[in-house]
């Protein structure tokens, strides 16, 4: 039997299948709310372990309900999205949702996401070293696991509902009562103070306490953080030194991490060869870790674990792949001061796992390509091979997007919430407080860049909302980051596309916009998608600087145009280029329509 409390908010008929699955899984405490107001009432009366909200509610937008709940509760929230408009809203981090699922959905996927969030929430709570106490009317309402350890009890039942004064030394009850009275009467953050706390076994410990007023069940309550003082006199000095060191190390790290995640994810979109992957990975390691002697080597008889940093007398190594008895190692042959910063070591191991995900398939693709080159010298690759390569690439992009969302993104959100909690410490000097605020803003940028990277690697609504809707979302987002306007016309497009055709056309438009941003200097871009009999027509025109006399030869080696040509060819299509200096660029693509109904 599972004791976690779950709140389901939405239409009772749509949530019935989810409720049935949860019941079969053993969840005993499942509450349903049909409206936003009913949900707020339940949240104010009961502590839930997770909340699932359908954004389409009869009395209020579910996203607004999520924001309101997040103002007073950190309970994990999963949003069930109703369309591409909601997907665009997710780019705003202030929503506060921990995960989302798009309609139509599989109820089993919702249950799997609930399990994942519950597991992550349990891990996050276990990570908190400070004892956290929620109290109202001078009585315990909730105590986290660290708080149970501090008071020397084994379960919440030993504290919930009991007066806090029973656990405070009599010499300090007067101070504690005055502080809590002030917290209950007005919204405030109380300064740090030291108490003596009585534990369940009768022993006493010194603690420092910081408290903050919150609203609970419609009345003022308070959250207090208890930290044990083993050496009270030295603690504040050590705390200040540690804070300064943390700021110094974190500021540069998050700045480089932001650039790394953004650029690395963008470059992976165009990576089609093993050599490109190796060069890009080595460059990223050199830039982020600020090392020079970095190389990739092939060896045998290596028993190291995949993506685990191994220190040696020269520096360190890390295995990124193993195929047919051969191991492929990333070697750093110089001093490894960066390993003293745990976050950088985790970054190296995590980035290596992303590379490892692509590595095995690239080796397989390389073997197939070599065999084909030997079998059909001086001939272009057959279209079936191109389709295979693009399908493998899309599978890896989908996996990488999921890994980024479930690992890197969630870790950054946790770090941000901890940093936000640290900013409430009134004893931090003003200049350090400002620097912490700047780091928090930078971390929000990192989170935003990860969300953008996930969306570019695998647009979440592409297959569900369709090509036209997804392209409009792409155009809206691109215009926020570029200097040109986009005019899009799809009035004459009538075909229904299968999955590969939808993804292929979307990737072509992505590459067209990337080239326009990097090279065109255009102020206007026109894109038209239309149906012409049994063919699909995609037209692109801009008013940019165009291409030089040798543009046809240059396009054969440029990854952007070459990639477009090969993708069009994989769909048995035709692509034509028209350009001259200062007269813009026109690209016309015609592809056989392969409808699901044909």
């Amino acid at each position: 039997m599972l004791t976690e409390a779950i709140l389901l908010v939405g239409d009772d008929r749509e949530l019935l299948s989810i409720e049935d699955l949860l019941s079969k899984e053993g969840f005993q405490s499942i509450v349903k709310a049909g409206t936003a107001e009913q949900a707020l009432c339940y949240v104010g009366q009961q502590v839930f372990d997770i909340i699932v909200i359908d954004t389409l509610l009869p009395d209020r937008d579910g996203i607004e309900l999520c924001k309101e709940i997040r103002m007073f509760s950190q309970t994990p929230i999963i949003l069930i999205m109703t369309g591409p408009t909601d997907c665009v809203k997710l780019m705003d981090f202030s929503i506060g949702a921990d995960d989302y699922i798009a309609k139509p959905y599989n109820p089993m996927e919702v249950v799997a996401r609930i399990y994942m969030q519950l597991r992550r929430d349990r891990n996050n709570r276990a990570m908190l070293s400070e004892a956290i106490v929620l109290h109202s009317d001078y009585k315990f309402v909730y105590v986290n696991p660290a708080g149970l350890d501090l008071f020397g009890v084994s379960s919440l039942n030993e504290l919930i509902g009991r007066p806090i004064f029973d656990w405070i030394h009599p010499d300090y009850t007067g101070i504690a009562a005055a502080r809590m009275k002030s917290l209950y009467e007005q919204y405030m953050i109380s300064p740090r103070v030291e108490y003596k706390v009585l534990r369940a076994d009768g022993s006493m410990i010194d603690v420092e306490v910081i408290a903050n007023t919150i609203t609970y069940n419609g009345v003022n309550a308070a959250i207090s953080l208890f930290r044990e003082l083993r050496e009270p006199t030295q603690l504040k000095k050590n705390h200040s030194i540690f804070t300064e060191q943390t700021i110094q190390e974190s500021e540069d790290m998050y700045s480089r991490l932001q650039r790394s995640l953004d650029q690395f994810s963008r470059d992976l979109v165009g990576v089609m060869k093993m050599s490109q992957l190796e060069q890009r990975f080595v460059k990223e390691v050199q830039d982020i870790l600020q090392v020079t002697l970095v190389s990739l080597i092939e060896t045998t008889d290596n028993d190291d674990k995949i993506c685990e940093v191994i220190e040696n007398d020269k520096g360190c190594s890390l295995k990124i792949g193993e195929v047919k008895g051969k191991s492929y190692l990333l070697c750093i042959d110089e001093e490894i001061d960066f390993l003293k910063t745990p976050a950088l070591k985790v970054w190296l191991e995590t980035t290596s796992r992303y590379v490892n995900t692509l590595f095995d398939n690239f080796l397989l693709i390389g073997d197939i390509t070599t065999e084909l080159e030997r079998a059909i010298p001086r001939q272009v690759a057959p279209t079936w091979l191109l389709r295979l390569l693009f399908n493998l690439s899309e599978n890896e992009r989908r996996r990488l997007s999921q890994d980024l969302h479930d690992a890197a993104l969630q870790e950054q959100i946790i770090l941000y919430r901890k940093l936000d909690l640290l900013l409430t410490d009134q004893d931090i000097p003003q200049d350090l407080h400002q620097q912490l605020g700047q780091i928090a803003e930078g971390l929000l940028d990192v989170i935003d860049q990860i969300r953008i990277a996930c969306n570019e690697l695998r647009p979440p609504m592409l297959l569900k909302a369709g090509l036209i809707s997804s392209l409009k979302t792409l155009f809206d987002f691109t215009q926020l980051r570029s200097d040109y306007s986009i005019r899009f016309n799809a009035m004459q497009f009538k075909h229904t596309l299968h999955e590969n055709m939808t993804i292929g056309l979307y990737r072509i438009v992505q590459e067209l916009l990337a080239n326009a941003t990097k090279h065109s200097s255009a102020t206007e871009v026109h894109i038209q998608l239309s149906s012409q009999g049994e063919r699909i027509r995609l037209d692109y025109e801009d008013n940019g600087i165009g291409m030089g006399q040798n543009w046809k030869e240059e396009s054969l080696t440029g990854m952007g145009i070459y990639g477009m040509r090969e993708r069009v060819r994989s769909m048995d299509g035709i692509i034509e280029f028209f350009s001259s200096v200062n007269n813009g660029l026109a690209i016309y693509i015609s592809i056989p329509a392969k409808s699901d109904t044909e």
Side-chain angles (χ1 to χ4, degrees):
M1 182 178 69
L2 302 175
T3 60
E4 287 86 350
I6 301 174
L7 175 61
L8 304 178
V9 185
D11 186 275
D12 184 70
R13 293 167 296 178
E14 293 190 11
L15 297 178
L16 182 60
S17 57
I18 299 176
E19 182 187 13
D20 289 343
L21 282 175
L22 290 172
S23 298
K24 291 178 181 178
E25 290 291 323
F27 289 96
Q28 300 298 309
S29 180
I30 304 173
V31 178
K32 292 186 295 182
T35 65
E37 291 301 323
Q38 189 177 7
L40 287 172
C41 181
Y42 283 140
V43 174
Q45 297 173 353
Q46 180 179 347
V47 177
F48 291 95
D49 295 286
I50 191 166
I51 302 173
V52 179
I53 301 175
D54 190 326
T55 56
L56 190 60
L57 297 174
D59 59 338
R60 195 180 311 180
D61 186 353
I63 291 179
E64 296 303 319
L65 172 61
C66 175
K67 290 181 180 180
E68 187 167 349
I69 292 176
R70 187 57 76 221
M71 292 176 64
F72 63 86
S73 172
Q74 293 300 314
T75 300
I77 297 176
I78 298 176
L79 288 180
I80 298 179
M81 314 303 292
T82 58
T85 302
D86 286 340
C87 187
V88 173
K89 292 180 182 179
L90 278 178
M91 301 304 296
D92 181 3
F93 178 66
S94 64
I95 290 175
D98 295 271
D99 202 352
Y100 73 93
I101 299 173
K103 289 184 178 180
Y105 58 82
N106 185 330
M108 295 183 66
E109 180 186 359
V110 179
V111 174
R113 295 291 184 93
I114 289 174
Y115 269 117
M116 183 181 69
Q117 290 298 330
L118 288 173
R119 183 169 61 253
R120 180 176 294 131
D121 189 56
R122 285 194 295 268
N123 293 338
N124 292 346
R125 293 180 184 180
M127 290 171 59
L128 290 174
S129 59
E130 291 87 0
I132 299 178
V133 174
L134 171 63
H135 52 91
S136 177
D137 194 24
Y138 307 98
K139 296 178 181 178
F140 289 101
V141 175
Y142 170 78
V143 181
N144 72 339
L148 299 180
D149 292 339
L150 184 138
F151 290 106
V153 299
S154 57
S155 72
L156 285 172
N157 293 333
E158 299 179 59
L159 295 176
I160 301 304
R162 292 187 56 181
I164 293 181
F165 301 126
D166 292 351
W167 300 84
I168 298 176
H169 190 279
D171 292 345
Y172 296 89
T173 54
I175 299 175
R179 280 166 53 87
M180 285 188 278
K181 184 174 184 295
S182 298
L183 287 165
Y184 296 154
E185 290 179 349
Q186 59 182 331
Y187 183 87
M188 62 175 292
I189 299 175
S190 69
R192 187 194 312 268
V193 69
E194 295 184 7
Y195 292 155
K196 286 188 182 294
V197 168
L198 301 175
R199 306 184 80 241
D201 60 4
S203 62
M204 290 188 302
I205 56 174
D206 292 305
V207 298
E208 60 177 4
V209 184
I210 302 174
N212 185 63
T213 305
I214 66 167
T215 300
Y216 178 76
N217 283 347
V219 298
N220 281 356
I223 286 184
S224 297
L225 272 68
F226 290 73
R227 297 172 183 165
E228 184 176 358
L229 300 180
R230 301 187 184 279
E231 298 179 7
T233 305
Q234 187 67 22
L235 182 65
K236 291 184 179 180
K237 179 179 179 181
N238 291 342
H239 178 73
S240 178
I241 294 174
F242 173 76
T243 301
E244 293 181 11
Q245 290 174 342
T246 302
I247 292 172
Q248 188 66 33
E249 294 172 358
S250 299
E251 187 170 10
D252 180 60
M253 179 184 66
Y254 285 127
S255 176
R256 287 185 286 127
L257 179 61
Q258 176 184 350
R259 295 193 300 269
S260 168
L261 288 170
D262 185 22
Q263 193 61 49
F264 192 67
S265 62
R266 292 177 185 276
D267 290 351
L268 286 180
V269 174
V271 169
M272 295 294 294
K273 296 181 179 179
M274 175 69 78
S275 58
Q276 292 177 322
L277 177 64
E278 293 175 347
Q279 293 172 6
R280 187 65 188 86
F281 181 42
V282 168
K283 181 179 183 300
E284 198 69 17
V285 171
Q286 290 174 330
D287 291 346
I288 296 300
L289 302 183
Q290 299 182 346
V291 292
T292 303
L293 302 179
V294 180
S295 61
L296 289 170
I297 66 170
E298 178 183 312
T299 184
T300 57
D301 301 325
N302 183 283
D303 297 327
D304 296 345
K305 294 181 179 180
I306 295 291
C307 300
E308 179 178 331
V309 176
I310 305 297
E311 298 186 42
N312 53 50
D313 54 353
K314 293 183 179 180
C316 70
S317 65
L318 183 147
K319 183 191 292 187
I320 61 172
E322 185 173 19
V323 179
K324 297 179 180 179
K326 296 180 180 179
S327 298
Y328 298 85
L329 306 180
L330 173 76
C331 296
I332 303 177
D333 297 328
E334 58 185 84
E335 293 185 4
I336 50 175
D337 290 342
F338 68 86
L339 292 182
K340 298 177 182 178
T341 304
L344 290 178
K345 182 178 179 181
V346 171
W347 174 89
L348 177 60
E349 293 177 341
T350 302
T351 307
S352 299
R353 291 193 181 278
Y354 297 150
V355 174
N356 170 256
T357 302
L358 301 173
F359 195 83
D360 293 344
N361 281 333
F362 274 130
L363 287 176
L364 176 61
I365 292 170
D367 291 343
I368 296 174
T369 303
T370 300
E371 292 178 8
L372 287 170
E373 288 175 348
R374 292 173 181 173
I376 48 174
R378 295 182 297 277
Q379 294 185 22
V380 296
T383 55
W384 68 263
L385 177 59
L386 290 176
R387 285 192 288 270
L388 171 64
L389 297 178
F390 284 122
N391 285 340
L392 289 173
S393 175
E394 289 299 332
N395 288 337
E396 295 310 318
R397 286 174 179 170
R398 181 172 59 249
R399 187 185 305 178
L400 179 57
S401 175
Q402 190 66 43
D403 287 345
L404 281 171
H405 179 273
D406 292 344
L409 178 59
Q410 302 303 324
E411 291 171 1
Q412 301 309 308
I413 291 175
I414 292 171
L415 289 174
Y416 172 77
R417 289 179 178 171
K418 288 186 176 181
L419 185 57
D420 191 47
L421 181 61
L422 183 60
L423 284 170
T424 63
D425 190 341
Q426 299 300 308
D427 290 341
I428 296 178
Q430 183 63 29
D431 58 337
L432 297 183
H433 193 278
Q434 292 177 354
Q435 293 183 56
L436 279 173
Q438 293 172 358
I439 294 175
E441 293 177 0
L443 192 52
L444 280 178
D445 291 338
V446 171
I447 293 170
D448 185 54
Q449 292 298 336
I450 297 177
R451 291 186 185 276
I452 293 172
C454 291
N455 189 67
E456 290 181 344
L457 285 168
R458 188 69 175 185
M461 301 300 296
L462 178 57
L463 300 181
K464 293 182 174 64
L467 179 63
I468 303 300
S469 178
S470 297
L471 287 178
K472 290 179 180 179
T473 300
L474 174 64
F475 296 150
D476 290 341
F477 186 66
T478 300
Q479 289 182 114
L480 295 176
R481 301 189 298 171
S482 58
D483 297 327
Y484 56 83
S485 62
I486 300 174
R487 296 185 180 180
F488 178 52
N489 184 356
M491 297 293 293
Q492 301 303 317
F493 183 74
K494 307 299 181 183
H495 285 98
T496 300
L497 305 178
H498 60 71
E499 178 177 341
N500 290 341
M501 183 72 72
T502 300
I503 295 174
L505 288 170
Y506 186 88
R507 294 299 185 201
I508 291 171
V509 174
Q510 269 189 317
E511 194 58 56
L512 288 170
L513 296 179
N515 283 336
T517 301
K518 294 178 182 178
H519 308 300
S520 72
S521 299
T523 58
E524 290 186 4
V525 168
H526 297 259
I527 296 177
Q528 179 170 316
L529 183 66
S530 59
S531 299
Q532 296 186 355
E534 299 300 317
R535 301 186 72 85
I536 297 170
R537 181 71 179 253
L538 176 63
D539 297 341
Y540 167 91
E541 296 177 355
D542 68 43
N543 64 347
I545 60 176
M547 298 185 181
Q549 295 180 351
N550 298 324
W551 68 271
K552 291 186 178 180
E553 290 77 8
E554 293 168 357
S555 70
L556 295 177
T557 57
M559 191 61 209
I561 292 180
Y562 177 79
M564 277 191 290
R565 290 167 63 101
E566 293 300 278
R567 192 178 286 275
V568 170
R569 194 161 66 84
S570 75
M571 295 187 285
D572 300 320
I574 301 171
I575 183 169
E576 298 178 295
F577 300 86
F578 299 92
S579 180
S580 60
V581 177
N582 297 324
N583 285 320
L585 171 66
I587 301 176
Y588 303 118
I589 298 171
S590 177
I591 298 172
K594 298 179 181 179
S595 172
D596 284 338
T597 61
E598 296 177 357

